Amino acid sequence: MATPIQAEASNITAPTQFVATGVETYAYRRFGRGSGGAPPLLCLQHFTGTLDFWDPAVTDPIARGREVILFENAGVGRSSGEVPDTMAGMAAHVLAFIAALGLTHVDVLGFSLGGVLAQVIALERPSLVRKMLLVGTAPEGGEDIMHLEKPELKRILDDPQLQGFQRLVKLFFTASESSQAAGQAYAQRLAARRQDRESVSGPKVAGAQLAAFRAWERGDGGERFTKLREIRQPCLVVNGVLDQMISVRNSYALAEHLPRAMLLTYPDAGHGSLFQYHDSFVRQASLFLGETPR
Amino acid sequence: MATPIQAEASNITAPTQFVATGVETYAYRRFGRGSGGAPPLLCLQHFTGTLDFWDPAVTDPIARGREVILFENAGVGRSSGEVPDTMAGMAAHVLAFIAALGLTHVDVLGFSLGGVLAQVIALERPSLVRKMLLVGTAPEGGEDIMHLEKPELKRILDDPQLQGFQRLVKLFFTASESSQAAGQAYAQRLAARRQDRESVSGPKVAGAQLAAFRAWERGDGGERFTKLREIRQPCLVVNGVLDQMISVRNSYALAEHLPRAMLLTYPDAGHGSLFQYHDSFVRQASLFLGETPR
């Protein structure tokens, strides 16, 4: 299974590519070095995030050991179509994209919303997914998931002084000096890509994705977390202990109910723990992906 | 600070040594290779455990990179004196031992009871402790700590068929086939030391240590977990998600309140997660101890 290797293995410079399925055209970036038959790492993005919101401090070092594919779901950035208002709908686009690229195996890095989609895909098409990194995310029927109306989040979202990446620095990092400094470094890294950028998501994207989150939190009416038992892939669950967007309790539930999940939490960190502790996260991700499955 | 290097860097063969303080004589083992000024790793043992209960699959690989010191508290094995019935009393013996060896800095691996003592020592003598591994342990005022009267534990403890290490295999590992198999491998490793063994702890040791656990669980009457904020050392908190002896919820509380703690949990693992996943644990411990402190 020969995979093309991009010359520029960085999310600062990798060109945005497009693949058409006949129904939709998806934007994506693909870079890094395939090694020894390891499947590519498919990265599924957070609420309203585009390809431009993947931190090069995370994607680029990982891409030195394996191929990295960043996916833009339908209706986001330059991908065509409408944003589905269900997780199943968004997961169907991920599957269509994987098929369009002709991939038969992937590892998945699902962050937040992307971590939900990773779970849906692993349940629906288990043979496709080898291992999963589930970061800042939640199981179906979880608690305290993306309640943007909470005072601590609303205050940030309503602040007219906070534009662009600065809003993310407040949302994804804690109030401590060191976390905010890490947030500013993250914002600078995201701004380093100067050309070929995606359009920023508007209220339509946010509304549909939030509707999907609300249904996910409500659950399917069955006993909570039982479906997680069916996900047999090795998983690494990661979160910051002070995540205000998706409480760390959801990561505990994932680690307690997924049969093969390790959990890693970071101190003084929020939703963006993988960006704050990018060195540690990359090391842990590389260890996890490189290990022989137990 | 020259430290003696034992020829036999294994808990299967390292001789038991003794150091006298004028008050007590403590049994200990010391082996491994000091490297580049890293402090020795002081290992503090679990409820009723002796020097013989440190798994060579954990201690020996760690000892290839640094010096490892296993400590036997007062009244346990061949250490003289009475077993204190308070955590403060047991921690005082640890401090007396460290002083008797002339050590000014240590890293600490505290497992279960030993993890409690590590916290007490870090609060009392912060300059002594560089980093701490807190495995299967609990903060003061935690919950579901060593309730041996719980049916799932009592059943094991009252079973006359379960003697010696076989009881530990049931207590420290889960009921799954793979966890029990890992438990049997652990029991074999513990049995590999044939000579110079410690005496097994009796009911007097258990009674005093349990009294200390009960007081620790009750807490000091102040707001729960506030003292943890004062522990500034980098910590790695580790547990199995199915720990019946000290619930994993205590590890969550440690990771949420210790200002510099990472948390790592293992699936399908109980109190003995570090022995079940010894390869991963050793790798994580070495990474953590070798990193430049954040």
Side-chain angles (χ1 to χ4, degrees), chain A residues 173-282:
Chain A
F173 296 77
T174 76
S176 79
E177 199 175 322
S178 59
S179 187
Q180 283 297 302
Q184 292 304 335
Y186 151 84
Q188 283 186 11
R189 293 190 299 266
L190 291 194
R193 184 181 177 98
R194 306 259 176 214
Q195 296 170 326
D196 186 32
R197 294 188 68 98
E198 300 301 291
S199 58
V200 171
S201 297
K204 202 172 163 188
V205 175
Q209 292 182 345
L210 272 180
F213 267 124
R214 288 283 64 76
W216 186 252
E217 190 184 55
R218 267 196 309 277
D220 64 357
E223 195 186 339
R224 287 207 311 171
F225 310 145
T226 51
K227 277 187 201 161
L228 296 177
R229 292 266 140 221
E230 297 162 35
I231 297 180
R232 305 299 308 179
Q233 282 82 358
C235 296
L236 181 63
V237 177
V238 178
N239 213 348
V241 291
L242 300 177
D243 190 337
Q244 300 271 25
M245 307 197 76
I246 298 186
S247 163
V248 69
R249 293 193 300 279
N250 294 292
S251 290
Y252 301 156
L254 285 168
E256 289 176 14
H257 296 275
L258 288 167
R260 298 175 77 193
M262 280 175 62
L263 168 68
L264 185 66
T265 72
Y266 288 105
D268 185 31
H271 202 51
S273 68
L274 75 172
F275 308 136
Q276 181 169 340
Y277 292 94
H278 53 83
D279 283 340
S280 172
F281 177 79
V282 166

Side-chain angles (χ1 to χ4, degrees), chain B residues 87-88 119-120 122-124 132 139-141 215-216 218-233 253-254 257-259:
Chain B
M87 296 301 180
Q119 296 169 64
V120 174
L123 282 166
E124 190 161 323
M132 300 200 291
E140 191 168 16
W216 186 252
R218 268 196 308 278
D220 65 356
E223 194 185 340
R224 288 207 309 172
F225 310 145
T226 51
K227 278 188 200 160
L228 296 176
R229 292 266 141 222
E230 297 162 35
I231 297 180
R232 306 297 308 176
Q233 282 82 358
L254 285 168
H257 295 275
L258 287 166

Side-chain angles (χ1 to χ4, degrees), chain A residues 3 5 8 11 19 28 54-56 107 117 125 149 152-153 157 163 171 188 200 212 227 245 258 285:
Chain A
T3 47
I5 291 173
E8 298 168 319
N11 194 31
V19 63
Y28 69 102
W54 282 109
D55 185 348
D107 291 335
L117 302 187
R125 203 75 65 78
E149 74 282 6
E152 56 270 43
L153 295 178
L157 292 164
Q163 294 297 324
L171 288 171
Q188 283 186 11
V200 171
K227 277 187 201 161
M245 307 197 76
L258 288 167

Side-chain angles (χ1 to χ4, degrees), chain A:
Chain A
M1 184 178 62
T3 47
I5 291 173
Q6 301 294 328
E8 298 168 319
S10 168
N11 194 31
I12 299 175
T13 50
T16 303
Q17 302 181 64
F18 300 90
V19 63
T21 63
V23 182
E24 304 292 359
T25 298
Y26 300 112
Y28 69 102
R29 295 181 194 145
R30 183 173 185 167
F31 53 93
R33 199 175 291 277
S35 70
L41 181 67
L42 177 65
C43 299
L44 302 178
Q45 188 58 296
H46 64 77
F47 173 68
T48 70
T50 69
L51 301 175
D52 297 335
F53 289 77
W54 282 109
D55 185 348
V58 166
T59 57
D60 299 2
I62 292 177
R64 287 200 279 274
R66 60 192 62 249
E67 229 192 346
V68 169
I69 300 175
L70 314 181
F71 171 62
E72 193 103 290
N73 215 311
V76 179
R78 284 180 276 177
S79 286
S80 70
E82 295 288 316
V83 180
D85 60 3
T86 65
M87 295 302 180
M90 286 184 260
H93 285 293
V94 180
L95 290 173
F97 169 74
I98 292 171
L101 290 191
L103 299 171
T104 55
H105 285 90
V106 290
D107 291 335
V108 180
L109 163 53
F111 174 38
S112 189
L113 176 66
V116 171
L117 302 187
Q119 296 169 64
V120 174
I121 290 161
L123 282 167
E124 189 161 325
R125 203 75 65 78
S127 65
L128 194 59
V129 180
R130 193 187 66 136
K131 296 185 177 184
M132 300 199 291
L133 290 144
L134 302 173
V135 185
T137 193
E140 190 168 15
E143 54 177 324
D144 193 3
I145 300 172
M146 293 293 289
H147 284 281
L148 304 187
E149 74 282 6
K150 288 196 300 188
E152 56 270 43
L153 295 178
K154 192 171 177 350
R155 186 169 37 80
I156 295 167
L157 292 164
D158 288 352
D159 186 342
Q161 304 295 316
L162 293 171
Q163 294 297 324
F165 297 138
Q166 288 307 311
R167 182 173 286 173
L168 277 190
V169 171
K170 294 292 180 194
L171 288 171
F172 282 12
F173 296 77
T174 76
S176 79
E177 199 175 322
S178 59
S179 187
Q180 283 297 302
Q184 292 304 335
Y186 151 84
Q188 283 186 11
R189 293 190 299 266
L190 291 194
R193 184 181 177 98
R194 306 259 176 214
Q195 296 170 326
D196 186 32
R197 294 188 68 98
E198 300 301 291
S199 58
V200 171
S201 297
K204 202 172 163 188
V205 175
Q209 292 182 345
L210 272 180
F213 267 124
R214 288 283 64 76
W216 186 252
E217 190 184 55
R218 267 196 309 277
D220 64 357
E223 195 186 339
R224 287 207 311 171
F225 310 145
T226 51
K227 277 187 201 161
L228 296 177
R229 292 266 140 221
E230 297 162 35
I231 297 180
R232 305 299 308 179
Q233 282 82 358
C235 296
L236 181 63
V237 177
V238 178
N239 213 348
V241 291
L242 300 177
D243 190 337
Q244 300 271 25
M245 307 197 76
I246 298 186
S247 163
V248 69
R249 293 193 300 279
N250 294 292
S251 290
Y252 301 156
L254 285 168
E256 289 176 14
H257 296 275
L258 288 167
R260 298 175 77 193
M262 280 175 62
L263 168 68
L264 185 66
T265 72
Y266 288 105
D268 185 31
H271 202 51
S273 68
L274 75 172
F275 308 136
Q276 181 169 340
Y277 292 94
H278 53 83
D279 283 340
S280 172
F281 177 79
V282 166
R283 193 160 47 235
Q284 293 286 345
S286 302
L287 255 180
F288 168 72
L289 294 172
E291 273 169 1
T292 309
R294 290 188 297 271

Side-chain angles (χ1 to χ4, degrees), chain B residues 38-39 66 105-107 128-132 233-234 289-291 293:
Chain B
R66 62 192 61 247
H105 285 89
V106 291
D107 289 336
L128 194 59
V129 180
R130 193 187 66 136
K131 295 185 178 185
M132 300 200 291
Q233 282 82 358
L289 294 172
E291 273 169 3

